Amino acid sequence: MAKLFLFGIGGTGARVIKHLVFLAAAGVKFDSNDSDTIIPIIIDPDNSNGDLNKTIRLIKLYNRIRNNVEHTDNNFFRLKLKNIQTFAGDIDGLKTLITIEENSFHQTIQDIQNKNLKDFLNLNTMTESSQALLRLLFSEDNLETNLEVGFKGNPNIGSIVLNQFSDAEYFKLFASSFNSSDRIFIISSIFGGTGASGFPTLLKNLRNPDEKIPNHNYIKDAVIGAISVLPYFNLENTESSKINSNTFISKTKSALEYYYNNIIHTKQLNSIYYIGYTNGATYENSEGGRTQENKAHFIEFASALSIFDFMDTDFTTNEEVSKKEYSTASYSTSTPYLTLTCLSHKDRKKIQNELIQFFLMTRYFTDRLPKISNKKSPWFDETKINTNDPVYQDMKEFIELYYQYLREMAENHVAFKPFKIDEENKEEVFSSIESITPHKSSSLFSFRRMKDYESFDDILNKSSKELSKDISNFKRLISLMYRATAQIIQDKQLDYKG
Amino acid sequence: MTDLFATIFELMSLYSKDLGEHLRGFNMRCKAYDAGAFYNTIGLVILFVSFLASFLYYKGLDMPRYTSIGKWSMVGIVTGLLPFLWSFLKVSSDITNKMYCKELQITNGDTWGFAFTVLFYYLILYFIFALLFKSVSNNHRKIPF
């Protein structure tokens, strides 16, 4: 089974991975059945970064739910999100070498705790001429920068500090578990500090690995893709913050030129994606830490889709390698925000059905399931639901985070609102997909017309009849939901037929 | 067939043997059983109506909103009122119009007893058909249990 090693560098890396987790929960998967494992490796010096911690919490929650889900009849929570630590046990002797935190997806940077750049470089122990050279390259502000909260939009600092990938324990573990068919994808932003500097530095370490590193030949020739996120938001310019969003465009231009000359032109990557949005929202200026928690954004969502596009691309033919594609999402005239119908056909085909199915399931969980006390409802009785099982609490928490995430995307600029989540009429669940009107079934007899949730229950009962009775409780519930929602989107013509 | 129905209905002993004789078709001249056995008619009616009522509940009303013992019972009782009322009215009318052998002692109490016996057997049949039909129902397959 081929694996995808997914490097998320900096805050944008963590945020895009958050979108990936929600897409994976909805059942979006890679076209090839040979690949169903992603190993997210989030690299951020800022341990307390709000976005980072939110993403890690989400991945852990995803995995706890996934462990309670059966996949023979279901695509929800299908992709495996594994920790590189998981592979330590497979490799002789490696486990004992590894001291990185168990069950962590975040890899911090070594030797930066309580240090500024000056301390990190041991500037005071350098010769006078070296010190003078460094003072020429770095301003006093740069040298005094506390490295624990990232590089505050300074890629020149990042490129120094991050240039230690090959010594890091997680990198050794990554190398040891790398197989010839595995792929690598790197997510970073181009206009900040950590991502902009981390991406080329990491790529350099991947394409020119130290020969002492295990599997260095596989890594050197691996299929590597990357997304570089161009500016898509602005920051309030405050006196106290060293990050100035007015510099985003100029930094982007410089970095793009650097990338072109050193990465694209020299064919270091099999695939590169660029994405951006002018006229984005203005966020509160946070240099890092807990307060750096940006609202989910459509650009990050679209960035997460690039991971699927990369994994679905066949790089064995030269034709694909040289292909350039431009994709846009555009407003329809009827809504002042983006909806699922604004996406490209390719993206709709990939995600529309899955997202709608997942959304319908979450609505059922929140609006309908707590009200079902009728033990005579066949699917409920046959599923033997035990809501005291901790996985239900996990699912509840996951759904709360999912709704918060949907609200954030809907409130952001550009707004992306695939679903109506705060409508007063909770009963018309099939009408909660923006820009897609459900097909109303006509029945000759009015008493046979069913309201949405009744119809949902009817389909659940039908699906339950066809589903094996061997599994029960949460496993069966999720499989049942997957079948039922697949039937619903077909019956109500909410599905994307292309 | 008359004997079969008669035996079953009379098992309950909710009405007199004289009404039983009348329902077996004992004629007004008190000579022979050739007046048409109401037992057969009502027996076949409750078989047919309970079959139809079960079919109606398990297929026609196969929607989650009707999935409850209460609604299943209501369908049974409401449809059961048809044979109940019919049997009650039929016997009442015979008594009122003296359309029975004068040697038989039939009271109004017998009328109620017979109607309730019909209703009882109707409900039994409704229950038996429920066991047959529930497996073909989508939403009511756990009804009555």
Side-chain angles (χ1 to χ4, degrees), chain B residues 129-140:
Chain B
F129 284 126
L131 300 182
L132 293 177
F133 280 122
K134 70 174 198 159
S135 60
V136 297
S137 177
N138 181 35
N139 295 293
H140 308 325

Side-chain angles (χ1 to χ4, degrees), chain A residues 85-259:
Chain A
Q85 183 75 17
T86 320
F87 297 97
D90 301 341
I91 302 157
D92 287 345
L94 198 58
K95 185 129 192 167
T96 52
L97 290 174
I98 301 303
T99 54
I100 59 173
E101 191 197 337
E102 189 89 31
N103 201 23
S104 170
F105 293 88
H106 167 223
Q107 310 311 331
T108 189
I109 313 297
Q110 292 165 354
D111 300 327
I112 59 164
Q113 279 69 36
N114 296 320
K115 280 186 182 170
N116 54 26
L117 183 61
K118 209 193 278 181
D119 299 335
F120 181 81
L121 295 170
N122 294 321
L123 190 75
N124 295 335
T125 61
M126 288 181 179
T127 60
E128 266 186 34
S129 55
S130 299
Q131 283 193 27
L133 178 65
L134 278 169
R135 285 186 198 282
L136 194 69
L137 293 171
F138 296 97
S139 68
E140 198 54 38
D141 252 7
N142 285 168
L143 291 168
E144 293 296 337
T145 298
N146 176 9
L147 301 177
E148 265 193 281
V149 288
F151 312 125
K152 298 177 185 173
N154 293 297
N156 54 338
I157 304 177
S159 57
I160 297 281
V161 179
L162 290 172
N163 199 17
Q164 48 170 325
F165 282 112
S166 53
D167 297 331
E169 287 180 334
Y170 71 85
F171 197 80
K172 287 175 194 155
L173 189 47
F174 147 74
S176 304
S177 50
F178 198 86
N179 290 323
S180 57
S181 57
D182 292 346
R183 291 185 180 193
I184 298 165
F185 195 82
I186 305 164
I187 310 158
S188 61
S189 72
I190 203 166
F191 56 100
T194 313
S197 55
F199 163 49
T201 315
L202 173 63
L203 188 62
K204 186 187 79 183
N205 280 279
L206 294 169
R207 285 299 185 212
N208 308 292
D210 185 336
E211 291 197 356
K212 285 179 210 147
I213 283 179
N215 300 322
H216 62 273
N217 277 334
Y218 291 157
I219 295 170
K220 184 163 67 84
D221 299 328
V223 172
I224 304 179
I227 183 159
S228 187
V229 183
L230 312 182
Y232 63 102
F233 61 83
N234 296 307
L235 294 174
E236 288 170 355
N237 285 326
T238 55
E239 293 275 313
S240 56
S241 175
K242 286 180 183 151
I243 305 173
N244 181 352
S245 64
N246 291 332
T247 64
F248 282 177
I249 298 293
S250 54
K251 276 167 35 182
T252 301
K253 279 183 183 172
S254 311
L256 280 174
E257 197 179 334
Y258 176 82
Y259 287 4

Side-chain angles (χ1 to χ4, degrees), chain A residues 363 366-368 371 403 407 420-430 432 452-453:
Chain A
R363 284 289 302 270
T366 48
D367 299 341
R368 185 71 163 178
K371 291 179 193 161
Y403 284 173
R407 279 188 196 100
K420 300 169 191 168
I421 40 175
D422 294 313
E423 297 295 303
E424 280 188 14
N425 186 358
K426 299 266 183 207
E427 289 303 309
E428 291 187 1
V429 63
F430 302 150
S432 58
D452 289 0
Y453 275 123

Side-chain angles (χ1 to χ4, degrees), chain A residues 374 376-379 381-382 446-451 454 457-458 461-462 464-465, chain B residues 59-67 69 135-139 141-145:
Chain A
N374 184 2
K376 293 291 176 191
S377 181
W379 79 263
D381 182 74
E382 286 156 4
S446 60
F447 72 90
R448 290 213 37 106
R449 281 186 206 128
M450 290 189 256
K451 286 185 176 174
E454 190 181 15
D457 283 331
D458 183 55
N461 286 334
K462 243 177 240 161
S464 181
K465 225 174 179 179
Chain B
K59 290 306 281 183
L61 300 176
D62 191 5
M63 284 169 283
R65 85 185 85 146
Y66 299 112
T67 306
I69 291 269
S135 60
V136 297
S137 177
N138 181 35
N139 295 293
R141 56 184 188 269
K142 301 288 168 187
I143 302 288
F145 53 81

Side-chain angles (χ1 to χ4, degrees), chain A residues 461-469 476 483, chain B residues 141:
Chain A
N461 286 334
K462 243 177 240 161
S463 307
S464 181
K465 225 174 179 179
E466 296 153 6
L467 197 67
S468 160
K469 307 273 191 297
R476 191 170 202 278
R483 271 177 174 244
Chain B
R141 56 184 188 269

